[in-house]
């Protein structure tokens, strides 16, 4: 079936604006992860959803960042009042459960001017 | 503090020149260690999962091994299409937070 998809692929915004990034996981995957990847750096965990459990938000860098997931489907990562340091590639991954390998989407490249 | 360190940061190999990439980890409890390949502008692509020391897995020219402190990704007779960034990640056990930690990767270039 289809892999993980993310939209938009690229987003350019002005400092202070809000942005929404979308992730469509692989059908049937109960676990969903968001990561941030700054240029030349490793993946930074942001948030994790598993089924109907409360999400693990321990990686969110500030209260400007939030994420929602509708059941076991689409997830949206929202960044409010964007700052230049938010510029990065935001990657979404899904997994059939917590203990299996993650399948990544192509990412959304966010540029904050 | 849980952390993952990969070395070298970058590696240039001639086609056919075998080598190894290293992933050292320090975690409270290891649930699994994952290797991914990432091509420019794309998301990471899953390669292997290793769960216990002594375990090995192979796929084409790649072989991953695991000890209690590190993992190696051995590349045998690499080809230019093996050029990519290779990422290592560890997952901690449920009673230590069930977290994923990624290394910063090794950028591999295979020269024809």
């Amino acid at each position: 079936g289809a892999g993980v998809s993310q939209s938009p692929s690229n987003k350019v915004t002005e400092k202070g604006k809000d942005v929404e990034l979308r992730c469509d996981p692989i059908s049937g995957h109960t676990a969903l992860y968001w990561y941030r990847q700054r240029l030349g750096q490793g993946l930074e965990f942001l948030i994790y959803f598993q089924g109907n459990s409360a999400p693990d938000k321990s990686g969110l860098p500030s209260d400007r960042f939030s994420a929602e997931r509708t059941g076991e489907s689409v997830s949206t990562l929202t960044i409010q009042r964007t700052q230049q340091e938010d510029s990065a590639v935001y990657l979404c991954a899904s997994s059939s459960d917590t203990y299996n390998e993650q399948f990544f989407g192509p990412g959304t490249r966010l540029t904050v001017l | 503090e849980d952390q993952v360190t990969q070395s070298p940061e970058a590696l240039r190999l001639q086609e056919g020149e075998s080598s190894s990439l290293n992933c050292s980890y320090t975690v409270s409890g290891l649930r699994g260690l994952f290797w991914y390949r990432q091509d420019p502008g794309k998301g990471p692509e899953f390669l292997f999962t290793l769960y216990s020391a002594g375990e090995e897995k192979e796929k084409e020219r790649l072989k991953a091994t695991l000890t209690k402190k590190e993992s190696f990704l051995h590349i045998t007779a690499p080809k230019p299409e093996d050029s990519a960034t290779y990422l290592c990640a560890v997952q901690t056990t449920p009673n230590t937070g069930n977290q994923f930690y990624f290394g910063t990767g090794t950028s591999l270039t295979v020269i024809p």
Side-chain angles (χ1 to χ4, degrees), chain B residues 48-68:
Chain B
F48 304 108
T49 309
L50 301 166
Y51 293 105
S52 57
E55 188 175 0
E56 297 183 353
K57 289 196 176 171
E58 288 189 64
K59 179 181 179 180
E60 296 181 354
R61 295 177 292 283
L62 301 177
K63 183 169 83 171
T65 61
L66 181 65
T67 72
K68 290 186 177 180

Side-chain angles (χ1 to χ4, degrees), chain B residues 33-91:
Chain B
L33 185 142
F34 301 80
W35 281 100
Y36 290 86
R37 168 191 171 127
Q38 187 173 25
D39 292 294
K42 296 187 177 182
E45 174 189 347
F46 170 75
L47 294 174
F48 304 108
T49 309
L50 301 166
Y51 293 105
S52 57
E55 188 175 0
E56 297 183 353
K57 289 196 176 171
E58 288 189 64
K59 179 181 179 180
E60 296 181 354
R61 295 177 292 283
L62 301 177
K63 183 169 83 171
T65 61
L66 181 65
T67 72
K68 290 186 177 180
K69 294 184 177 180
E70 59 192 348
S71 177
F72 291 95
L73 185 66
H74 307 277
I75 303 177
T76 302
K79 298 182 178 181
E81 54 262 41
D82 294 324
S83 297
T85 295
Y86 290 84
L87 299 171
C88 167
V90 299
Q91 182 184 23

Side-chain angles (χ1 to χ4, degrees), chain A residues 36-49:
Chain A
R36 178 169 69 180
Q37 188 174 34
R38 291 191 166 120
L39 187 63
Q41 298 188 20
L43 274 68
E44 176 187 0
F45 166 76
L46 296 177
I47 188 169
Y48 154 65
F49 297 88

Side-chain angles (χ1 to χ4, degrees), chain A residues 37-67:
Chain A
Q37 188 174 34
R38 291 191 166 120
L39 187 63
Q41 298 188 20
L43 274 68
E44 176 187 0
F45 166 76
L46 296 177
I47 188 169
Y48 154 65
F49 297 88
Q50 171 59 53
N52 294 319
S53 302
D56 177 352
K57 304 179 181 180
S58 60
L60 294 178
S62 78
D63 58 8
R64 296 187 295 106
F65 288 72
S66 62

Side-chain angles (χ1 to χ4, degrees), chain A residues 48-105:
Chain A
Y48 154 65
F49 297 88
Q50 171 59 53
N52 294 319
S53 302
D56 177 352
K57 304 179 181 180
S58 60
L60 294 178
S62 78
D63 58 8
R64 296 187 295 106
F65 288 72
S66 62
E68 294 184 347
R69 186 180 187 193
T70 308
E72 293 184 353
S73 60
V74 171
S75 176
T76 302
L77 177 69
T78 301
I79 308 174
Q80 296 179 309
R81 305 181 302 281
T82 52
Q83 304 294 313
Q84 288 183 332
E85 63 261 28
D86 298 334
S87 296
V89 174
Y90 289 82
L91 290 160
C92 172
S94 71
S95 174
S96 57
D97 71 33
T98 306
Y99 305 114
N100 289 344
E101 63 272 15
Q102 299 174 29
F103 294 87
F104 283 83

